[in-house]
Amino acid sequence: MMRVCVARRRVRPAHDRTGRRGMRQQRSLILAAGLCATAALGLVAPHPASAASAHCSYASPTYHPTLTYGDTGEAVKQAQCLSNIWGGQPPQLALDGVFDPVMLKKVEWIQGCHGLPRSGVVEGRTWQVLYHPALDCYDPYPS
């Protein structure tokens, strides 16, 4: 009986065929995925406003009264301070405790940046975004 030898070519698994270039691409993808996960979990450097309650101490961080145009007091001053830290620009609000037209315009802008109705009234959701703002706003400030 005669044996026939057939040469078989060894097929490498797909992960062996990628070579150095493929390994670099794979590492880059893993790094990118890790950075995205880190950002999504909030493990990146905190926004300056995250320390807002420590900087703005005109009223308790748990005191969230409804504020409207014309109101005065420490809660208004707290909202003014938080809005200045949140988006130091457009205008810095004077910390005078008076809900004036400049503050009304800035509150409406901040509300718009967060997808809230532009009511100009500082209430529950608006207090929440003053203490925990979005990182960026692409809504131009009204002139």
Side-chain angles (χ1 to χ4, degrees):
M1 190 180 230
M2 184 185 211
R3 279 187 156 180
V4 178
C5 290
V6 178
R8 291 187 182 189
R9 183 174 164 232
R10 180 175 175 259
V11 178
R12 291 188 293 174
H15 67 274
D16 282 351
R17 283 186 254 154
T18 58
R20 280 188 171 172
R21 189 169 136 213
M23 287 175 64
R24 270 188 241 133
Q25 287 175 340
Q26 187 178 16
R27 277 187 288 199
S28 295
L29 287 173
I30 290 170
L31 179 62
L35 290 173
C36 288
T38 301
L41 294 173
L43 301 175
V44 293
H47 188 273
S50 64
S53 59
H55 179 74
C56 299
S57 57
Y58 298 101
S60 167
T62 58
Y63 179 57
H64 301 154
T66 299
L67 303 175
T68 57
Y69 178 77
D71 285 347
T72 60
E74 295 302 306
V76 174
K77 198 180 287 189
Q78 180 77 1
Q80 290 169 331
C81 181
L82 292 169
S83 73
N84 285 342
I85 291 173
W86 181 81
Q89 51 102 35
Q92 288 281 323
L93 299 177
L95 300 179
D96 58 6
V98 178
F99 199 135
D100 60 9
V102 178
M103 182 175 174
L104 177 65
K105 191 175 186 179
K106 190 160 186 181
V107 166
E108 289 172 343
W109 177 71
I110 290 171
Q111 289 171 329
C113 287
H114 289 84
L116 300 175
R118 295 173 187 258
S119 64
V121 176
V122 179
E123 40 68 46
R125 291 279 312 197
T126 305
W127 279 111
Q128 184 178 4
V129 300
L130 286 172
Y131 279 100
H132 307 285
L135 295 179
D136 290 315
C137 178
Y138 301 102
D139 189 11
Y141 194 77
S143 48

